[in-house]
PDB file of all heavy atoms in Angstrom:
ATOM      1  N   GLN A 874       9.166   4.202   1.831  1.00 80.00           N
ATOM      2  CA  GLN A 874       9.297   4.349   3.279  1.00 80.00           C
ATOM      3  C   GLN A 874       8.934   5.738   3.769  1.00 80.00           C
ATOM      4  O   GLN A 874       8.287   5.902   4.780  1.00 80.00           O
ATOM      5  CB  GLN A 874      10.748   4.041   3.655  1.00 80.00           C
ATOM      6  CG  GLN A 874      11.038   2.572   3.724  1.00 80.00           C
ATOM      7  CD  GLN A 874      10.719   2.047   5.096  1.00 80.00           C
ATOM      8  OE1 GLN A 874      11.417   2.340   6.052  1.00 80.00           O
ATOM      9  NE2 GLN A 874       9.648   1.286   5.207  1.00 80.00           N
ATOM     10  N   THR A 876       7.061   8.090   2.312  1.00 89.00           N
ATOM     11  CA  THR A 876       5.829   8.740   1.870  1.00 89.00           C
ATOM     12  C   THR A 876       4.620   8.006   2.416  1.00 89.00           C
ATOM     13  O   THR A 876       4.682   6.831   2.736  1.00 89.00           O
ATOM     14  CB  THR A 876       5.705   8.763   0.328  1.00 89.00           C
ATOM     15  OG1 THR A 876       5.983   7.454  -0.152  1.00 89.00           O
ATOM     16  CG2 THR A 876       6.631   9.761  -0.288  1.00 89.00           C
ATOM     17  N   LEU A 877       3.542   8.723   2.521  1.00 91.00           N
ATOM     18  CA  LEU A 877       2.281   8.119   2.936  1.00 91.00           C
ATOM     19  C   LEU A 877       1.387   8.025   1.709  1.00 91.00           C
ATOM     20  O   LEU A 877       1.200   9.007   0.997  1.00 91.00           O
ATOM     21  CB  LEU A 877       1.609   8.981   4.010  1.00 91.00           C
ATOM     22  CG  LEU A 877       2.396   9.139   5.311  1.00 91.00           C
ATOM     23  CD1 LEU A 877       1.664  10.082   6.260  1.00 91.00           C
ATOM     24  CD2 LEU A 877       2.620   7.796   5.980  1.00 91.00           C
ATOM     25  N   ALA A 878       0.865   6.839   1.490  1.00 89.00           N
ATOM     26  CA  ALA A 878       0.045   6.629   0.298  1.00 89.00           C
ATOM     27  C   ALA A 878      -1.217   7.477   0.375  1.00 89.00           C
ATOM     28  O   ALA A 878      -1.830   7.597   1.424  1.00 89.00           O
ATOM     29  CB  ALA A 878      -0.326   5.154   0.184  1.00 89.00           C
ATOM     30  N   LEU A 880      -4.973   7.811  -0.615  1.00 85.00           N
ATOM     31  CA  LEU A 880      -6.063   6.988  -1.119  1.00 85.00           C
ATOM     32  C   LEU A 880      -6.832   7.786  -2.159  1.00 85.00           C
ATOM     33  O   LEU A 880      -6.959   8.989  -2.038  1.00 85.00           O
ATOM     34  CB  LEU A 880      -6.998   6.599   0.026  1.00 85.00           C
ATOM     35  CG  LEU A 880      -6.343   5.727   1.079  1.00 85.00           C
ATOM     36  CD1 LEU A 880      -7.290   5.512   2.242  1.00 85.00           C
ATOM     37  CD2 LEU A 880      -5.914   4.403   0.492  1.00 85.00           C
ATOM     38  N   ARG A 883     -13.087   9.355  -3.212  1.00 89.00           N
ATOM     39  CA  ARG A 883     -14.293   8.717  -3.739  1.00 89.00           C
ATOM     40  C   ARG A 883     -15.073   9.697  -4.609  1.00 89.00           C
ATOM     41  O   ARG A 883     -15.053  10.889  -4.365  1.00 89.00           O
ATOM     42  CB  ARG A 883     -15.185   8.275  -2.580  1.00 89.00           C
ATOM     43  CG  ARG A 883     -14.941   6.853  -2.137  1.00 89.00           C
ATOM     44  CD  ARG A 883     -15.897   6.502  -1.025  1.00 89.00           C
ATOM     45  NE  ARG A 883     -15.496   7.203   0.189  1.00 89.00           N
ATOM     46  CZ  ARG A 883     -14.760   6.642   1.147  1.00 89.00           C
ATOM     47  NH1 ARG A 883     -14.384   5.391   1.044  1.00 89.00           N
ATOM     48  NH2 ARG A 883     -14.409   7.322   2.208  1.00 89.00           N
ATOM     49  N   GLN A 902     -25.163   2.549  17.065  1.00 89.00           N
ATOM     50  CA  GLN A 902     -24.493   2.547  18.364  1.00 89.00           C
ATOM     51  C   GLN A 902     -25.284   3.355  19.383  1.00 89.00           C
ATOM     52  O   GLN A 902     -25.454   2.961  20.528  1.00 89.00           O
ATOM     53  CB  GLN A 902     -23.088   3.148  18.255  1.00 89.00           C
ATOM     54  CG  GLN A 902     -22.105   2.282  17.529  1.00 89.00           C
ATOM     55  CD  GLN A 902     -21.983   0.919  18.141  1.00 89.00           C
ATOM     56  OE1 GLN A 902     -22.391   0.678  19.276  1.00 89.00           O
ATOM     57  NE2 GLN A 902     -21.443  -0.016  17.390  1.00 89.00           N
ATOM     58  N   ARG A 990      -9.791  11.878  13.187  1.00 95.00           N
ATOM     59  CA  ARG A 990     -10.438  10.795  12.445  1.00 95.00           C
ATOM     60  C   ARG A 990     -10.763  11.199  11.019  1.00 95.00           C
ATOM     61  O   ARG A 990     -11.123  12.345  10.769  1.00 95.00           O
ATOM     62  CB  ARG A 990     -11.728  10.407  13.158  1.00 95.00           C
ATOM     63  CG  ARG A 990     -11.426   9.973  14.551  1.00 95.00           C
ATOM     64  CD  ARG A 990     -12.465   9.060  15.107  1.00 95.00           C
ATOM     65  NE  ARG A 990     -11.940   8.477  16.309  1.00 95.00           N
ATOM     66  CZ  ARG A 990     -12.511   8.564  17.500  1.00 95.00           C
ATOM     67  NH1 ARG A 990     -13.665   9.188  17.618  1.00 95.00           N
ATOM     68  NH2 ARG A 990     -11.955   7.997  18.539  1.00 95.00           N
ATOM     69  N   SER A1148      -7.773  24.001  20.894  1.00 87.00           N
ATOM     70  CA  SER A1148      -7.657  22.904  21.846  1.00 87.00           C
ATOM     71  C   SER A1148      -7.592  23.465  23.263  1.00 87.00           C
ATOM     72  O   SER A1148      -7.955  24.609  23.484  1.00 87.00           O
ATOM     73  CB  SER A1148      -6.438  22.044  21.525  1.00 87.00           C
ATOM     74  OG  SER A1148      -6.442  20.898  22.321  1.00 87.00           O
ATOM     75  N   THR A1149      -7.125  22.684  24.205  1.00 83.00           N
ATOM     76  CA  THR A1149      -7.024  23.183  25.573  1.00 83.00           C
ATOM     77  C   THR A1149      -5.665  22.834  26.143  1.00 83.00           C
ATOM     78  O   THR A1149      -5.043  21.875  25.727  1.00 83.00           O
ATOM     79  CB  THR A1149      -8.062  22.514  26.492  1.00 83.00           C
ATOM     80  OG1 THR A1149      -8.010  21.112  26.250  1.00 83.00           O
ATOM     81  CG2 THR A1149      -9.432  23.029  26.226  1.00 83.00           C
TER      82      THR A1149
ATOM     83  N   LYS B 843       0.085  18.213  18.910  1.00 97.00           N
ATOM     84  CA  LYS B 843      -1.195  18.586  18.305  1.00 97.00           C
ATOM     85  C   LYS B 843      -1.003  19.165  16.908  1.00 97.00           C
ATOM     86  O   LYS B 843      -1.866  19.012  16.059  1.00 97.00           O
ATOM     87  CB  LYS B 843      -1.939  19.578  19.202  1.00 97.00           C
ATOM     88  CG  LYS B 843      -2.596  18.891  20.392  1.00 97.00           C
ATOM     89  CD  LYS B 843      -3.186  19.885  21.367  1.00 97.00           C
ATOM     90  CE  LYS B 843      -3.667  19.183  22.622  1.00 97.00           C
ATOM     91  NZ  LYS B 843      -3.982  20.150  23.678  1.00 97.00           N
ATOM     92  N   GLY B 859       5.437  12.407   5.289  1.00 94.00           N
ATOM     93  CA  GLY B 859       5.255  11.546   4.126  1.00 94.00           C
ATOM     94  C   GLY B 859       4.618  12.273   2.965  1.00 94.00           C
ATOM     95  O   GLY B 859       3.877  11.680   2.187  1.00 94.00           O
ATOM     96  N   GLY B 860       4.884  13.568   2.845  1.00 94.00           N
ATOM     97  CA  GLY B 860       4.355  14.339   1.727  1.00 94.00           C
ATOM     98  C   GLY B 860       3.016  15.004   2.015  1.00 94.00           C
ATOM     99  O   GLY B 860       2.497  15.722   1.173  1.00 94.00           O
ATOM    100  N   GLN B 869      -6.853  12.509   4.409  1.00 94.00           N
ATOM    101  CA  GLN B 869      -5.851  11.563   3.916  1.00 94.00           C
ATOM    102  C   GLN B 869      -4.889  11.190   5.044  1.00 94.00           C
ATOM    103  O   GLN B 869      -4.549  10.039   5.245  1.00 94.00           O
ATOM    104  CB  GLN B 869      -5.049  12.200   2.771  1.00 94.00           C
ATOM    105  CG  GLN B 869      -5.813  12.367   1.496  1.00 94.00           C
ATOM    106  CD  GLN B 869      -5.973  11.042   0.760  1.00 94.00           C
ATOM    107  OE1 GLN B 869      -5.366  10.035   1.104  1.00 94.00           O
ATOM    108  NE2 GLN B 869      -6.821  11.035  -0.252  1.00 94.00           N
ATOM    109  N   ARG B 872      -5.619   8.735   8.278  1.00 95.00           N
ATOM    110  CA  ARG B 872      -5.647   7.279   8.062  1.00 95.00           C
ATOM    111  C   ARG B 872      -4.319   6.624   8.396  1.00 95.00           C
ATOM    112  O   ARG B 872      -4.254   5.426   8.636  1.00 95.00           O
ATOM    113  CB  ARG B 872      -5.930   6.958   6.596  1.00 95.00           C
ATOM    114  CG  ARG B 872      -7.296   7.341   6.180  1.00 95.00           C
ATOM    115  CD  ARG B 872      -7.497   7.095   4.712  1.00 95.00           C
ATOM    116  NE  ARG B 872      -8.811   7.572   4.355  1.00 95.00           N
ATOM    117  CZ  ARG B 872      -9.919   6.891   4.631  1.00 95.00           C
ATOM    118  NH1 ARG B 872      -9.834   5.709   5.179  1.00 95.00           N
ATOM    119  NH2 ARG B 872     -11.083   7.384   4.333  1.00 95.00           N
ATOM    120  N   HIS B 873      -3.258   7.433   8.342  1.00 96.00           N
ATOM    121  CA  HIS B 873      -1.915   6.874   8.500  1.00 96.00           C
ATOM    122  C   HIS B 873      -1.354   7.042   9.902  1.00 96.00           C
ATOM    123  O   HIS B 873      -0.252   6.618  10.177  1.00 96.00           O
ATOM    124  CB  HIS B 873      -0.955   7.546   7.516  1.00 96.00           C
ATOM    125  CG  HIS B 873      -1.316   7.333   6.090  1.00 96.00           C
ATOM    126  ND1 HIS B 873      -1.175   6.113   5.479  1.00 96.00           N
ATOM    127  CD2 HIS B 873      -1.827   8.166   5.160  1.00 96.00           C
ATOM    128  CE1 HIS B 873      -1.574   6.216   4.221  1.00 96.00           C
ATOM    129  NE2 HIS B 873      -1.975   7.438   4.001  1.00 96.00           N
ATOM    130  N   GLN B 883      -9.587   8.683  23.750  1.00 87.00           N
ATOM    131  CA  GLN B 883     -10.045   8.921  22.384  1.00 87.00           C
ATOM    132  C   GLN B 883     -11.295   8.102  22.084  1.00 87.00           C
ATOM    133  O   GLN B 883     -11.820   8.135  20.996  1.00 87.00           O
ATOM    134  CB  GLN B 883      -8.956   8.513  21.379  1.00 87.00           C
ATOM    135  CG  GLN B 883      -7.635   9.196  21.604  1.00 87.00           C
ATOM    136  CD  GLN B 883      -7.747  10.680  21.379  1.00 87.00           C
ATOM    137  OE1 GLN B 883      -8.112  11.117  20.305  1.00 87.00           O
ATOM    138  NE2 GLN B 883      -7.461  11.463  22.414  1.00 87.00           N
ATOM    139  N   GLU B 892     -17.612  -2.120  20.988  1.00 92.00           N
ATOM    140  CA  GLU B 892     -18.434  -1.306  20.070  1.00 92.00           C
ATOM    141  C   GLU B 892     -17.607  -0.137  19.524  1.00 92.00           C
ATOM    142  O   GLU B 892     -17.718   0.221  18.362  1.00 92.00           O
ATOM    143  CB  GLU B 892     -19.668  -0.748  20.790  1.00 92.00           C
ATOM    144  CG  GLU B 892     -20.532  -1.760  21.500  1.00 92.00           C
ATOM    145  CD  GLU B 892     -21.405  -2.561  20.552  1.00 92.00           C
ATOM    146  OE1 GLU B 892     -21.229  -2.433  19.324  1.00 92.00           O
ATOM    147  OE2 GLU B 892     -22.258  -3.313  21.047  1.00 92.00           O
ATOM    148  N   GLU B 902     -12.173   2.019   7.686  1.00 95.00           N
ATOM    149  CA  GLU B 902     -12.324   1.013   6.634  1.00 95.00           C
ATOM    150  C   GLU B 902     -11.278  -0.092   6.754  1.00 95.00           C
ATOM    151  O   GLU B 902     -10.575  -0.399   5.806  1.00 95.00           O
ATOM    152  CB  GLU B 902     -12.247   1.685   5.263  1.00 95.00           C
ATOM    153  CG  GLU B 902     -13.348   2.714   5.074  1.00 95.00           C
ATOM    154  CD  GLU B 902     -13.173   3.518   3.790  1.00 95.00           C
ATOM    155  OE1 GLU B 902     -13.648   3.047   2.761  1.00 95.00           O
ATOM    156  OE2 GLU B 902     -12.541   4.577   3.845  1.00 95.00           O
ATOM    157  N   ARG B 951       1.050   4.119  10.193  1.00 95.00           N
ATOM    158  CA  ARG B 951       2.509   4.149   9.998  1.00 95.00           C
ATOM    159  C   ARG B 951       3.180   4.887  11.145  1.00 95.00           C
ATOM    160  O   ARG B 951       4.342   4.635  11.470  1.00 95.00           O
ATOM    161  CB  ARG B 951       2.832   4.876   8.690  1.00 95.00           C
ATOM    162  CG  ARG B 951       2.487   4.105   7.430  1.00 95.00           C
ATOM    163  CD  ARG B 951       3.601   3.152   7.030  1.00 95.00           C
ATOM    164  NE  ARG B 951       4.918   3.781   6.949  1.00 95.00           N
ATOM    165  CZ  ARG B 951       5.362   4.425   5.887  1.00 95.00           C
ATOM    166  NH1 ARG B 951       4.618   4.532   4.819  1.00 95.00           N
ATOM    167  NH2 ARG B 951       6.566   4.969   5.889  1.00 95.00           N
TER     168      ARG B 951
END
Side-chain angles (χ1 to χ4, degrees):
Chain A
Q874 280 273 289
T876 48
L877 298 177
L880 296 174
R883 267 182 288 263
Q902 289 304 344
R990 301 205 167 123
S1148 188
T1149 47
Chain B
K843 283 173 187 168
Q869 289 284 350
R872 293 176 184 283
H873 298 289
Q883 304 295 301
E892 307 283 8
E902 299 172 87
R951 288 275 308 276

